[in-house]
Amino acid sequence: MSVDFEEMYSGRIKKVSGYLDRNNIAIAVFHDSEDFRDPNLRYLSGHPSDAVLFVTRQGKSILCPWDENLARQKAHCSEMIPFTQFKRDYVESVKSIAAKIAPSEKIIELPPSTSFIEYGQFKDALDSWRIECREDSVHEYVCQLRAQKDEYEIECTKKACLITSSMTDKIEGLLRDGELKTESDVALFIEKELRIHGCERTSFDTLAAGPSRSFGIHAFPGYTSGSWGTRGLSILDYGVCYEGYASDCTITVARGPLSKEQELILSLVQKAADSCINFYKAGTPIHDAVKCADDIFAEYGKSMPHGLGHGTGLAIHENPFISTRAKPDEVFKAGNIVTLEPGLYDPEWGGCRLENDVLITETGNIVLTNSRIIRL
């Protein structure tokens, strides 16, 4: 698809500056570093990481990247000032940029991730400014913007999901041919394959758990040299990152003969996936989907120890969250890309999770991945 990136990023900045204007905030600060990754910075500028971004009430965006060369290739902003100019000092960069802009309304909003110690440093450095640092902030406003994907974001996610689905097909074939035997085999296959398809990385650390470890919601460690796909229930939870956008899927491999308890786990998870997808529609309360899964499991005295799903995008977990964390009046919206991932886990029999990525549309939904329970 043809994308005017300058227009796309300036449009996002315009929305943020509008929020600042409505709330009488002069400057919003977005900071991404090894200590705390903030996808909002990439969403607003295109720069992938390690920078400070300032957005003003007047609609200006100033980027201070650590890697100036990378930023000149990737970033879109009104002005660029290398972070090295401030000796890579976060507080000094904010102090200097604030003095450079020097608006009459001296209110600046810092990220909610700001530590108590950092906040004190900012208070000392910006003694003439009123400093805001809160949960209900411009940063949360940007997270809400990210929850409803635009055309570019949808296409990037579709590409990530297409690559993921092709790998799932290959994994099944290699497993049936006996070429994948361990957790490490499948995890390292994913690492190599995603690079072939032009992905940046896995969207999170791959979780490959053989029958002896699939009882864990998130196996620890993520994968070992232990067997995978052997008799019993094995889980593979993985995803790829394409142009920043994540896929997230989970397949379960069930190799027989299986016990009655294992068959029940499989059938209940499949039933929940098949039933709950009907609630993934614009305008439908999120709690309705959650209740559907809970009711299916409760009928057999079981419960799911995690949420039914979550949004994906520039972060692997983002709004909306398909769980009891959702507000009672929160509904699915067109443009949401969310997971549907019912799962059950038993310390004796192992676990099953079935996870697909779903795009909410104006008229229903589109399942973007092809995860399934693979029976061998």
Side-chain angles (χ1 to χ4, degrees):
M1 62 179 297
S2 177
V3 181
D4 186 333
F5 288 107
E6 288 293 341
E7 181 179 352
M8 185 180 81
Y9 288 110
S10 64
R12 294 173 181 179
I13 292 295
K14 185 176 181 180
K15 290 179 181 178
V16 175
S17 64
Y19 176 96
L20 298 178
D21 189 53
R22 292 191 297 274
N23 290 274
N24 298 313
I25 298 168
I27 307 171
V29 180
F30 299 86
H31 182 215
D32 180 275
S33 71
E34 289 181 334
D35 295 329
F36 185 85
R37 293 300 180 194
D38 183 6
N40 283 344
L41 186 137
R42 188 171 187 176
Y43 178 78
L44 293 174
S45 70
H47 187 63
S49 63
D50 298 304
V52 187
L53 176 69
F54 302 85
V55 181
T56 73
R57 184 174 182 176
Q58 291 76 27
K60 189 174 184 180
S61 59
I62 302 172
L63 182 70
C64 298
W66 172 44
D67 190 331
E68 183 181 357
N69 294 329
L70 180 63
R72 295 204 180 281
Q73 285 189 353
K74 298 286 188 180
H76 300 266
C77 56
S78 306
E79 184 178 355
M80 188 182 302
I81 304 174
F83 195 40
T84 51
Q85 184 169 313
F86 310 107
K87 299 181 180 179
R88 295 172 58 190
D89 186 308
Y90 177 30
V91 175
E92 182 59 32
S93 71
V94 176
K95 178 182 177 180
S96 298
I97 296 300
K100 173 184 173 70
I101 297 172
S104 56
E105 312 92 342
K106 292 202 169 186
I107 303 174
I108 190 167
E109 187 152 272
L110 300 175
S113 59
T114 303
S115 70
F116 179 78
I117 293 174
E118 278 183 328
Y119 183 77
Q121 293 171 340
F122 280 113
K123 289 283 287 183
D124 292 340
L126 299 163
D127 56 355
S128 65
W129 286 75
R130 174 180 153 191
I131 300 175
E132 297 282 0
C133 185
R134 56 202 173 101
E135 287 184 337
D136 186 15
S137 64
V138 63
H139 305 83
E140 176 58 26
Y141 171 73
V142 177
C143 288
Q144 294 298 333
L145 290 179
R146 286 168 43 208
Q148 287 183 271
K149 273 57 182 178
D150 59 29
E151 184 180 356
Y152 172 73
E153 294 177 288
I154 290 171
E155 288 305 310
C156 287
T157 307
K158 282 183 175 180
K159 180 67 173 179
C161 290
L162 182 65
I163 293 168
T164 305
S165 294
S166 71
M167 286 199 287
T168 296
D169 291 340
K170 290 180 181 179
I171 288 167
E172 179 176 357
L174 292 170
L175 186 60
R176 291 186 182 278
D177 292 342
E179 296 185 42
L180 297 178
K181 298 179 180 179
T182 69
E183 297 172 355
S184 295
D185 285 344
V186 67
L188 296 178
F189 168 80
I190 291 166
E191 286 285 351
K192 181 179 179 180
E193 190 74 7
L194 70 88
R195 312 290 174 178
I196 293 172
H197 289 284
C199 297
E200 297 176 1
R201 54 181 171 80
T202 56
S203 48
F204 56 94
D205 290 341
T206 297
L207 301 169
S212 67
R213 305 194 320 127
S214 64
F215 65 86
I217 302 168
H218 282 173
F220 180 83
Y223 57 89
T224 71
S225 60
S227 61
W228 184 80
T230 50
R231 181 180 174 181
L233 305 180
S234 297
I235 285 177
L236 175 64
D237 188 350
Y238 79 107
V240 304
C241 185
Y242 182 82
E243 294 296 329
Y245 288 86
S247 65
D248 185 3
C249 75
T250 307
I251 61 174
T252 295
V253 177
R255 188 184 288 271
L258 302 176
S259 68
K260 289 183 179 179
E261 182 66 22
Q262 288 171 325
E263 288 288 1
L264 178 61
I265 289 172
L266 294 173
S267 65
L268 289 177
V269 169
Q270 186 67 67
K271 182 178 180 180
D274 293 341
S275 301
C276 293
I277 189 65
N278 297 311
F279 294 90
Y280 277 52
K281 296 178 180 179
T284 300
I286 285 175
H287 276 274
D288 287 1
V290 177
K291 185 177 185 301
C292 176
D294 288 345
D295 288 349
I296 289 170
F297 295 144
E299 185 177 349
Y300 289 84
K302 299 185 180 298
S303 62
M304 186 168 58
H306 54 72
L308 184 61
H310 55 84
T312 65
L314 289 171
I316 191 59
H317 295 114
E318 51 182 63
N319 294 321
F321 290 92
I322 320 305
S323 70
T324 53
R325 295 168 60 180
K327 296 177 181 177
D329 59 348
E330 193 170 355
V331 299
F332 290 105
K333 297 178 182 178
N336 289 158
I337 298 180
V338 289
T339 65
L340 170 56
E341 50 181 302
L344 292 174
Y345 314 86
D346 186 277
E348 181 178 358
W349 302 115
C352 171
R353 183 162 65 251
L354 178 55
E355 178 182 17
N356 277 295
D357 297 339
V358 183
L359 169 64
I360 307 300
T361 68
E362 295 286 354
T363 57
N365 62 61
I366 300 172
V367 180
L368 301 177
T369 46
N370 66 352
S371 299
R372 64 267 193 186
I373 295 172
I374 298 172
R375 288 182 173 269
L376 301 173

